[in-house]
Amino acid sequence: MSTTITNLSALSSEDVLAIQEQLRSSIESLADGQLDLRRGVVHDLVLHLHAILLAAHFKDVDRYMSARSLLDISRDETLADPAVVDAVLSNYGIARGEARAAAGEVIIVVRSPNSVTIGAGAVFTVDSTRFVTEESYTAKLEAAQAVRPTDRLLTPHGVGLWRFAVPVVAAETGVRGNIRRGTLLTPENVPTAFVTAFAAGDFTGGADVEPTSAMLSRMRAGMAVKAPGSRLSYLSMLRGFGEVISANFVGFGDAEMRRDRHTLWPGSTGGRVDAYVRTQAAPVALTAPVTARLVSKTSDSGVWACTLADELPGFYEVRAVLPGGEVSGSLTVISEQRGMRAVGTTDPDIVTAEEASFSAYQTAVVTFSDPLKDYSGLLVGDEAEYQVVLVGMPGIGDLQRAITAPDYRALASDTLIKAPVPCFVSFSIIIHKSSAQSDPDVAAIRAAVVDAVHAVGFTGRLAASTVYSAITARLEPGMNVGLLQMSGRILRPDGTPSYVSGQHELIVPIQPEAMVSDKTVQFFTQPESIGVDVRSVIPAQV
Amino acid sequence: MTIDVSAFSCDTSPCRQQLAGTDDPGRLTAGVLKLAQKWLIEFFTERGSMRFLPQRGSSFFTAVRLGRARTPLDIEQLFEVAAEEIRLQFAEDYDETTPDDERLVSARLVSADISIRGVRLSVEFVSAAGARRVITVPVIKPIQVS
């Protein structure tokens, strides 16, 4: 274990001189006052230098001792050496989250169907964030030519354009790499016939090094018994299986628990736990291939249906349906019917689609119309490939499999892992400034609002003050927030939306019979949902 | 009376700064010679150069580095300024228990010998006990060009 040595330049004169005075008094008494310790050779070369080193040593000891105490770490985490904090908290099963690089796919659009090679280490940038290819990829027109794992197929993209996709990894770790689907990327070395490049889907996996404060907040769960039991022990157990930012649990005695009332007896029998788990700050948009079946057709259009089950377990909603190979736009979704998959004896006790909502046991049948196909040769029942863009919380299926595994499944109860009931929030913000001031960084304001909203726990309330704090921290003196309007769309487990709005607070309605309450709902937003209007209405001050 | 380790060897004139040498295992110093040594240490230390002791030292060599010592009169004036700075610093160290042989009464520039070989200062030190000592130190040497 390494410990940082205090930089001597970081010492204060007061600390050094105080120690020097103590040393002088001690040595004076030892030397019976015979040594000149106030000025001169012994003072300058021995006493003073020793005082400096001793001050640094005491500072190191103080930092080390403060990090050894959980109480002191909690009081001022900046005093604690990160390596020592890691060692202390490892005693409670808490490991610092490592920084990770985000990854995703980039769609590259070119204006000719000729072969294009993107070399290993090719860089694509979004602002100052860089993404690189880890291998060399070659785009080819004919499927027969694409024989290697790194070959990519050129497919038509609109009129006269072609596209292909290559995977990239963020060059630096951190959440900045988690760019959203459709974000434009700029290649450092422009490929031949290049037109544009954008993210095929949400980039995921990027994370910053977990700060000590976040580790401390997990400490209680880390100290808890990692077994089905209390809310804290459940949380501790789940964190052993996968990424869990926050979670809330509904069980025996909670009004939101419906699964333990399946008997004829009008009451709760217990033995059931619904875990509403937030596996990452924001939901992801995932593009998944599906096989759809033609349900009906006319001469120029057809209605198709596809079943969704494992593409994104526990997904929230279908954001788009795309013809095979397309990356933008959407066909018209006619209906989305939620259902549930069959459960076995070791699966959670689920009897309705509503109980299965936002869990790995949720299924859906999506019907949509496609006016773009040639139906002359198609018959009802024929199949075709499409893509669906699903929005949801990742990892729900993995957690469910882990907790249902024979080695971990509770013998006295069942646990159903669910994504939190989402409340998608949008904002209208008006910022006032003087004409003499330059505009604030709107992108940074949006990002700060997103972070503030996503940090709200299972409280059922989103206070405007939380958002105000995030905004005003990025305004110059003299600027102010003229208006903040919040509106939320709660996607209820039964599939119906519920709307809330306000300027002071968004309050989740308490509807436990619908599994909607402060125990189940989490707030989500995105930069595209935050409207910021900057107005120069404040007179310039002389 | 207190003692200190000797930092200057003044067996020959001018004095040489030396803690110990091949023929000299090191010495102690006391009395007016110790006072002179303390004074010279302050004189040679540029003010602000000692970490955590920014008030230590004098402005003499700072001024010389900045090119303000062009004439013998400049040397004399810079010496007087430095002597006053050091006197004020020493005064902070004195209390009712400080013996007379540890109190500096004056540090007077006897002569400033400026030649092609460099600049030498002869300084007379007088303690409150009445002891006197003249120390000659080389403060500036010419740059050797080969």
Side-chain angles (χ1 to χ4, degrees):
Chain A
M1 180 189 76
S2 65
T3 304
T4 304
I5 303 296
T6 297
N7 188 327
L8 298 183
S9 302
L11 297 173
S12 70
S13 294
E14 290 78 16
D15 289 343
V16 172
L17 295 180
I19 291 175
Q20 183 174 290
E21 185 58 28
Q22 289 183 50
L23 286 175
R24 188 188 63 75
S25 298
S26 299
I27 298 173
E28 251 184 10
S29 62
L30 278 177
D32 289 331
Q34 292 184 16
L35 269 180
D36 189 346
L37 296 170
R38 290 195 178 276
R39 205 177 290 264
V41 174
V42 173
H43 172 278
D44 290 356
L45 296 185
V46 180
L47 188 69
H48 182 60
L49 295 181
H50 194 78
I52 294 173
L53 295 176
L54 206 56
H57 176 70
F58 284 155
K59 206 171 183 64
D60 289 338
V61 169
D62 283 347
R63 287 178 63 232
Y64 184 78
M65 293 301 294
S66 70
R68 297 290 298 178
S69 161
L70 290 176
L71 180 61
D72 287 332
I73 293 174
S74 302
R75 279 177 181 161
D76 189 348
E77 65 180 72
T78 60
L79 292 177
D81 185 278
V84 181
V85 170
D86 289 351
V88 172
L89 294 187
S90 70
N91 293 321
Y92 305 98
I94 302 293
R96 188 181 297 271
E98 295 178 347
R100 299 190 304 270
E105 276 205 334
V106 176
I107 300 284
I108 300 172
V109 180
V110 293
R111 61 174 66 88
S112 86
N114 296 326
S115 179
V116 178
T117 297
I118 305 297
V123 176
F124 296 81
T125 59
V126 177
D127 295 328
S128 59
T129 306
R130 300 163 69 245
F131 301 89
V132 297
T133 54
E134 293 186 308
E135 295 186 74
S136 179
Y137 299 92
T138 303
K140 298 179 178 177
L141 185 60
E142 301 293 335
Q145 297 173 334
V147 296
R148 295 186 300 177
T150 55
D151 287 339
R152 294 290 181 267
L153 194 60
L154 277 168
T155 55
H157 180 82
V159 177
L161 299 176
W162 305 82
R163 70 172 179 273
F164 62 99
V166 296
V168 295
V169 176
E172 291 86 33
T173 58
V175 297
R176 287 181 60 185
N178 295 331
I179 60 175
R180 300 189 62 81
R181 174 176 174 264
T183 302
L184 294 178
L185 291 95
T186 305
E188 216 168 66
N189 292 315
V190 180
T192 306
F194 174 80
V195 174
T196 187
F198 54 90
D202 287 355
F203 279 32
T204 60
D208 297 321
V209 173
E210 185 179 15
T212 297
S213 57
M215 295 174 73
L216 291 174
S217 69
R218 292 195 291 130
M219 190 170 64
R220 288 178 61 235
M223 295 168 64
V225 172
K226 295 174 181 57
S230 66
R231 287 181 166 80
L232 200 53
S233 61
Y234 260 107
L235 179 61
S236 177
M237 180 179 67
L238 286 183
R239 284 193 166 135
F241 292 136
E243 190 75 35
V244 174
I245 291 180
S246 61
N248 208 358
F249 303 88
V250 166
F252 181 55
D254 291 320
E256 296 84 353
M257 170 48 67
R258 290 170 36 172
R259 295 191 303 115
D260 68 351
R261 300 179 214 153
H262 290 163
T263 64
L264 294 175
W265 183 64
S268 299
T269 58
R272 310 284 184 268
V273 174
D274 288 350
Y276 293 87
V277 183
R278 188 167 190 157
T279 57
Q280 64 179 47
V284 293
L286 178 75
T287 303
V290 294
T291 301
R293 178 169 288 115
L294 183 60
V295 175
S296 65
K297 71 167 191 174
T298 61
S299 59
D300 57 1
S301 184
V303 175
W304 298 79
C306 64
T307 300
L308 305 176
D310 297 319
E311 293 77 10
L312 180 62
F315 73 90
Y316 287 141
E317 54 189 5
V318 177
R319 184 154 292 175
V321 178
L322 307 170
E326 291 297 325
V327 294
S328 61
S330 178
L331 299 172
T332 302
V333 176
I334 299 172
S335 68
E336 185 189 324
Q337 187 66 39
R338 298 289 174 106
M340 57 170 283
R341 65 171 80 235
V343 295
T345 54
T346 58
D347 291 316
D349 178 15
I350 309 169
V351 298
T352 67
E354 195 174 336
E355 289 177 355
S357 61
F358 311 143
S359 78
Y361 297 89
Q362 168 187 270
T363 63
V365 174
V366 180
T367 58
F368 56 92
S369 65
D370 182 359
L372 304 176
K373 270 195 182 310
D374 178 6
Y375 289 93
S376 58
L378 292 176
L379 298 174
V380 170
D382 283 351
E383 293 182 344
E385 300 302 312
Y386 288 86
Q387 295 180 98
V388 290
V389 179
L390 302 175
V391 173
M393 193 60 55
I396 298 298
D398 294 336
L399 282 175
Q400 186 67 61
R401 275 188 294 277
I403 208 167
T404 315
D407 289 345
Y408 296 103
R409 182 171 61 86
L411 300 180
S413 64
D414 73 46
T415 304
L416 180 63
I417 305 296
K418 310 175 81 169
V421 176
C423 178
F424 300 110
V425 188
S426 56
F427 297 87
S428 290
I429 302 169
I430 296 177
I431 294 175
H432 292 158
K433 72 174 187 68
S434 81
S435 55
Q437 292 174 305
S438 53
D439 284 357
D441 186 344
V442 173
I445 289 173
R446 289 196 175 105
V449 171
V450 168
D451 289 344
V453 170
H454 289 171
V456 175
F458 286 86
T459 60
R461 292 170 178 270
L462 175 60
S465 60
T466 301
V467 183
Y468 274 119
S469 298
I471 299 171
T472 54
R474 281 150 188 84
L475 298 182
E476 290 179 14
M479 295 183 182
N480 58 57
V481 179
L483 173 72
L484 172 64
Q485 179 68 39
M486 304 181 290
S487 54
R489 174 175 65 95
I490 300 172
L491 184 58
R492 294 155 41 113
D494 64 6
T496 61
S498 168
Y499 298 94
V500 291
S501 65
Q503 293 186 358
H504 305 291
E505 203 172 29
L506 285 188
I507 302 176
V508 171
I510 305 301
Q511 302 167 340
E513 70 287 352
M515 295 181 282
V516 172
S517 75
D518 53 347
K519 293 177 184 164
T520 64
V521 174
Q522 285 273 267
F523 297 101
F524 300 102
T525 189
Q526 55 185 359
E528 296 81 3
S529 300
I530 303 171
V532 180
D533 182 13
V534 181
R535 299 180 181 177
S536 300
V537 297
I538 298 175
Q541 301 300 301
V542 174
Chain B
M1 183 186 73
T2 60
I3 61 176
D4 198 0
V5 173
S6 176
F8 292 92
S9 173
C10 295
D11 292 343
T12 58
S13 182
C15 293
R16 291 176 297 124
Q17 188 172 350
Q18 180 176 292
L19 282 172
T22 52
D23 299 327
D24 181 4
R27 304 180 188 190
L28 300 176
T29 184
V32 69
L33 206 54
K34 182 164 75 74
L35 268 179
Q37 174 175 278
K38 284 169 67 170
W39 192 97
L40 287 173
I41 289 174
E42 297 304 320
F43 183 71
F44 280 112
T45 302
E46 283 200 48
R47 173 162 283 193
S49 65
M50 282 190 75
R51 179 73 70 145
F52 306 114
L53 295 172
Q55 297 306 311
R56 287 279 307 272
S58 76
S59 59
F60 184 87
F61 280 96
T62 306
V64 169
R65 267 197 309 108
L66 294 175
R68 295 178 188 154
R70 299 192 183 95
T71 67
L73 182 60
D74 291 337
I75 299 253
E76 290 175 17
Q77 290 177 338
L78 291 174
F79 179 93
E80 292 304 323
V81 171
E84 179 61 15
E85 291 168 342
I86 297 170
R87 184 191 71 77
L88 292 172
Q89 290 182 52
F90 277 21
E92 291 177 1
D93 296 342
Y94 302 151
D95 59 24
E96 61 277 4
T97 65
T98 306
D100 287 345
D101 66 344
E102 304 254 336
R103 292 177 185 266
L104 182 70
V105 172
S106 68
R108 182 177 66 87
L109 182 64
V110 174
S111 66
D113 177 21
I114 305 171
S115 72
I116 197 170
R117 292 185 299 273
V119 176
R120 292 183 183 185
L121 301 181
S122 290
V123 183
E124 180 191 55
F125 297 97
V126 180
S127 72
R132 293 170 183 271
R133 184 66 183 256
V134 177
I135 304 292
T136 301
V137 291
V139 297
I140 302 171
K141 288 189 175 180
I143 297 172
Q144 302 290 338
V145 178
S146 59

